[in-house]
Amino acid sequence: MDKQYVIGIDIGGTNTVIGVVDARGSVLGSTSIKTQVCEKFEDYISEIYKAATALLESLDLTGKIHGIGVGAPNANHYTGNIENAANLRWKGILPLCELLSQKFGIPTSCTNDANAAAIGEMTYGAARGMKNFIMITLGTGVGSGIVANGQVLYGCDGYAGELGHVIVKENNGRKCGCGRSGCLECYCSATGVSRTAREFIETTDIPSILREIHVDEITSKHVYDAAIQGDELSKKIFEFTGEILGKAFANFVAFSAPEAIILFGGLANAGELLLAPVRKAMEENVLFVWKDKVKILASELKDADAAVLGASALGWEADK
Amino acid sequence: MDKQYVIGIDIGGTNTVIGVVDARGSVLGSTSIKTQVCEKFEDYISEIYKAATALLESLDLTGKIHGIGVGAPNANHYTGNIENAANLRWKGILPLCELLSQKFGIPTSCTNDANAAAIGEMTYGAARGMKNFIMITLGTGVGSGIVANGQVLYGCDGYAGELGHVIVKENNGRKCGCGRSGCLECYCSATGVSRTAREFIETTDIPSILREIHVDEITSKHVYDAAIQGDELSKKIFEFTGEILGKAFANFVAFSAPEAIILFGGLANAGELLLAPVRKAMEENVLFVWKDKVKILASELKDADAAVLGASALGWEADK
């Protein structure tokens, strides 16, 4: 057994990070390329190959890779394809694993970014030792990776864990990018926080430093910065966001009885400003058997290696 | 290997059914006792032992039992206890598996009735060959058993799959026995259907044969009987029930991406009267990736053996 390393690839909307990882989870080296640089997906795969090959040579590990694991938006673990990813320039079905395994001659496995984060968290982060937890990624949208019985829950089609698209407002819900209304991600993503800010500014008279910014340009970062300075309206925005998220979590708990729900991504960096109202709303709404039992945690995977580590773990199991 | 049989025990609020099952899933013989006959739980266990021993002798299978599997209200697969079951006379924590395995000298395993139904359905019913499905039991309450990746989802504490207690009405929801408001089971159980009937009779002028019955005595059976005779109000009650259930299912699908949702229990016998509005509401509310993909099925386990078969399947894995 001389192939004791794996490659982990994290495909983001902007950057693609490639890392070489050993069996103990140490990133021996990494490199990155711009995701959107090539017009054709095949050329993008070639760019990944070039960068990875150079990395392997520099580490003197050519020929020693057991498998490749990839985390990417809308990547389907079962099919190995990226399927209709909204934030990538290539549309439709992209045969990600097939092209990579052909190019490298190495077995490749993939999953979506939220599941990769869950695997990373379970292997190296806040979920170490947990067999049942839910990973919630709060970015532009809301993603999720559900781990039950120590395994990522993929469902019958690889799409399980679309918790950002659970409908939380039955009536007069906000319009969602998915074509429906009232989805969790319309409220609890970074974009949702901006929408809430706009709504609160337009429908209340509460003074706020946010009013100095053009209402269409307010980001969740603005709201966070204002809130930690004590801005009343901004704190209310986090309370509103946390309440919706916590109520949704109370229902998620009734599904899979997780030991913890772990928050990851930009908005999760708001820390207790968000976590405190989430916990409060969850505890007020959860079924009695889970009162004071389910932990709400922030991810421990803060550094740039996190996503690569999560993806790389898939490389050990890749078999085609 | 001469122990090629298992005992399946189905503990219901009224009857306890005990069956002997072979490796091919044939019930070789069964017997039953009244559940509530003994004041002390220990004495009830002795009654089960007596009945089972007589059954085994009559089948000439004494000493040939590999394990015992039990399905019971609020039975926890991890602890082996029945925990605070509302519809049994013995309160608190009941060491079900410990007492049975001591009494019989045979390894015993248990799970709650909805999970037992899911196992039965997967092994012998409508879910044969499925690795991902959700079993919904519509009885006095609403129970659920979730199968993901071919395994019953138990969560970190054995309580996973309390989908009857997902909150579906955020505002002004009906009061639930769990102490909260707006739970799915307040609307979609047999009791929920009676409540809807009362509500519709008191708040509308729609003529109905249900108005001939005292409003507090209307059961879901009355509503069903009236609906199949074409009673307008009764059909509206099933549409209302089905719509709430179907909307809830749309959210459940986003969690575990099941191949099918299977309905079991008294209310499920209403067939298309309930299933048609459930399907309609689910399809109207489900995320696009699952449109026209998730089957809504009635259980195929109609006969009295069903619950015993489901429970018995646990007997093969029992190890203490």
Side-chain angles (χ1 to χ4, degrees):
Chain A
M1 168 73 175
D2 57 346
K3 295 188 173 178
Q4 299 184 344
Y5 305 90
V6 285
I7 291 177
I9 304 177
D10 172 49
I11 301 181
T14 310
N15 293 307
T16 297
V17 184
I18 302 154
V20 176
V21 179
D22 69 14
R24 296 162 63 193
S26 301
V27 178
L28 304 180
S30 69
T31 184
S32 80
I33 62 171
K34 290 285 168 201
T35 301
Q36 311 280 38
V37 74
C38 302
E39 201 177 318
K40 288 175 66 182
F41 186 67
E42 287 74 8
D43 296 339
Y44 166 66
I45 295 292
S46 296
E47 290 299 316
I48 291 179
Y49 179 71
K50 264 190 262 173
T53 304
L55 177 64
L56 288 174
E57 275 171 17
S58 74
L59 296 167
D60 200 18
L61 293 176
T62 307
K64 295 191 172 165
I65 300 302
H66 180 85
I68 300 172
V70 193
N74 289 42
N76 188 317
H77 182 63
Y78 290 156
T79 62
N81 300 328
I82 292 177
E83 303 179 350
N84 307 305
N87 62 341
L88 295 181
R89 66 185 293 176
W90 313 286
K91 300 307 165 198
I93 308 291
L94 308 169
L96 175 70
C97 289
E98 191 188 333
L99 292 179
L100 281 171
S101 64
Q102 275 173 8
K103 196 84 188 174
F104 282 84
I106 295 172
T108 304
S109 181
C110 72
T111 194
N112 73 38
D113 33 8
N115 289 335
I119 295 167
E121 206 71 39
M122 177 162 57
T123 320
Y124 312 106
R128 274 190 311 272
M130 290 186 194
K131 287 191 164 303
N132 295 275
F133 69 98
I134 299 176
M135 188 85 188
I136 300 283
T137 61
L138 303 170
T140 317
V142 172
S144 64
I146 302 163
V147 172
N149 233 343
Q151 300 173 317
V152 173
L153 206 156
Y154 287 114
C156 75
D157 54 13
Y159 291 125
E162 280 290 353
L163 300 184
H165 292 286
V166 160
I167 293 175
V168 295
K169 290 282 171 195
E170 215 197 327
N171 302 310
N172 300 314
R174 292 180 185 166
K175 211 70 194 136
C176 184
C178 74
R180 302 175 307 157
S181 298
C183 293
L184 183 63
E185 89 168 25
C186 303
Y187 299 88
C188 300
S189 60
T191 325
V193 167
S194 301
R195 288 170 85 167
T196 304
R198 201 157 58 225
E199 202 174 288
F200 279 25
I201 284 174
E202 288 170 350
T203 60
T204 76
D205 290 324
I206 306 170
S208 169
I209 52 176
L210 293 179
R211 292 182 189 277
E212 292 161 23
I213 308 165
H214 188 287
V215 78
D216 289 330
E217 283 166 8
I218 297 172
T219 65
S220 59
K221 180 75 167 57
H222 289 131
V223 183
Y224 171 71
D225 290 342
I228 53 168
Q229 288 174 50
D231 185 74
E232 213 51 50
L233 189 78
S234 299
K235 287 197 285 185
K236 276 194 199 302
I237 292 168
F238 274 105
E239 281 162 22
F240 175 86
T241 309
E243 189 182 340
I244 293 177
L245 202 52
K247 280 185 176 174
F249 286 2
N251 279 348
F252 298 169
V253 168
F255 207 101
S256 69
E259 187 175 338
I261 297 176
I262 300 172
L263 304 184
F264 181 84
L267 206 55
N269 296 333
E272 285 305 308
L273 207 56
L274 180 67
L275 295 191
V278 167
R279 276 193 205 99
K280 182 164 177 284
M282 186 182 77
E283 290 300 337
E284 282 171 4
N285 287 279
V286 81
L287 187 65
F288 64 93
V289 293
W290 291 294
K291 275 250 187 293
D292 299 318
K293 292 212 175 126
V294 184
K295 296 187 272 279
I296 303 288
L297 304 172
S299 166
E300 288 180 7
L301 301 181
K302 301 272 183 209
D303 61 336
D305 289 341
V308 166
L309 278 173
S312 76
L314 283 172
W316 297 109
E317 299 160 23
D319 56 6
K320 67 178 179 199
Chain B
M1 168 73 175
D2 56 346
K3 296 188 173 179
Q4 298 185 344
Y5 305 90
V6 285
I7 291 176
I9 303 177
D10 172 50
I11 301 181
T14 310
N15 293 308
T16 297
V17 184
I18 302 154
V20 177
V21 179
D22 69 14
R24 295 162 62 190
S26 301
V27 178
L28 304 180
S30 69
T31 183
S32 80
I33 62 171
K34 291 285 165 201
T35 301
Q36 311 278 37
V37 74
C38 301
E39 201 177 319
K40 288 175 64 183
F41 186 67
E42 288 73 8
D43 296 338
Y44 166 66
I45 295 292
S46 296
E47 291 299 315
I48 291 178
Y49 179 70
K50 264 190 263 175
T53 304
L55 177 65
L56 288 175
E57 275 171 17
S58 75
L59 295 168
D60 200 18
L61 293 176
T62 307
K64 295 192 172 163
I65 301 301
H66 181 86
I68 300 171
V70 193
N74 288 44
N76 187 316
H77 183 64
Y78 290 157
T79 63
N81 301 327
I82 291 176
E83 303 179 349
N84 308 305
N87 61 343
L88 296 181
R89 66 184 293 175
W90 314 285
K91 300 306 165 199
I93 308 290
L94 308 168
L96 175 70
C97 288
E98 190 188 333
L99 291 179
L100 282 173
S101 64
Q102 276 173 10
K103 196 82 188 177
F104 282 85
I106 295 172
T108 304
S109 181
C110 72
T111 193
N112 73 38
D113 32 10
N115 288 335
I119 295 167
E121 206 72 40
M122 177 163 54
T123 320
Y124 312 106
R128 274 189 311 271
M130 290 186 196
K131 288 191 164 302
N132 296 276
F133 69 98
I134 299 176
M135 188 84 189
I136 300 282
T137 61
L138 302 169
T140 317
V142 173
S144 65
I146 302 164
V147 172
N149 231 345
Q151 299 173 319
V152 173
L153 205 157
Y154 288 114
C156 74
D157 53 13
Y159 291 125
E162 280 290 352
L163 300 185
H165 291 286
V166 160
I167 294 175
V168 295
K169 290 280 170 195
E170 216 196 328
N171 302 309
N172 301 313
R174 292 181 185 166
K175 209 75 192 130
C176 184
C178 74
R180 302 176 307 159
S181 298
C183 293
L184 183 64
E185 90 169 24
C186 303
Y187 299 88
C188 300
S189 60
T191 325
V193 167
S194 302
R195 288 170 85 167
T196 304
R198 202 157 59 225
E199 203 175 287
F200 279 25
I201 284 173
E202 288 169 352
T203 59
T204 76
D205 290 324
I206 305 170
S208 169
I209 53 176
L210 293 179
R211 292 182 189 275
E212 292 161 22
I213 309 165
H214 187 288
V215 78
D216 289 331
E217 284 166 8
I218 297 173
T219 65
S220 59
K221 180 76 166 56
H222 289 131
V223 183
Y224 171 71
D225 289 342
I228 53 169
Q229 289 174 50
D231 186 74
E232 212 52 50
L233 190 78
S234 299
K235 287 196 284 185
K236 275 192 197 306
I237 292 167
F238 274 105
E239 281 162 21
F240 175 86
T241 309
E243 188 181 341
I244 293 176
L245 202 52
K247 280 185 178 175
F249 287 1
N251 278 347
F252 298 168
V253 168
F255 207 100
S256 68
E259 186 175 336
I261 298 177
I262 300 172
L263 304 183
F264 181 83
L267 206 55
N269 296 332
E272 285 304 308
L273 209 54
L274 180 67
L275 296 191
V278 167
R279 276 193 206 100
K280 182 163 177 285
M282 186 183 78
E283 291 300 338
E284 281 171 5
N285 287 279
V286 80
L287 187 65
F288 65 93
V289 293
W290 290 295
K291 276 250 188 293
D292 299 318
K293 292 210 177 130
V294 184
K295 296 187 272 280
I296 303 287
L297 304 172
S299 166
E300 289 180 7
L301 301 181
K302 301 271 182 211
D303 62 336
D305 289 341
V308 166
L309 278 174
S312 75
L314 282 172
W316 297 110
E317 299 160 22
D319 56 6
K320 66 178 180 196

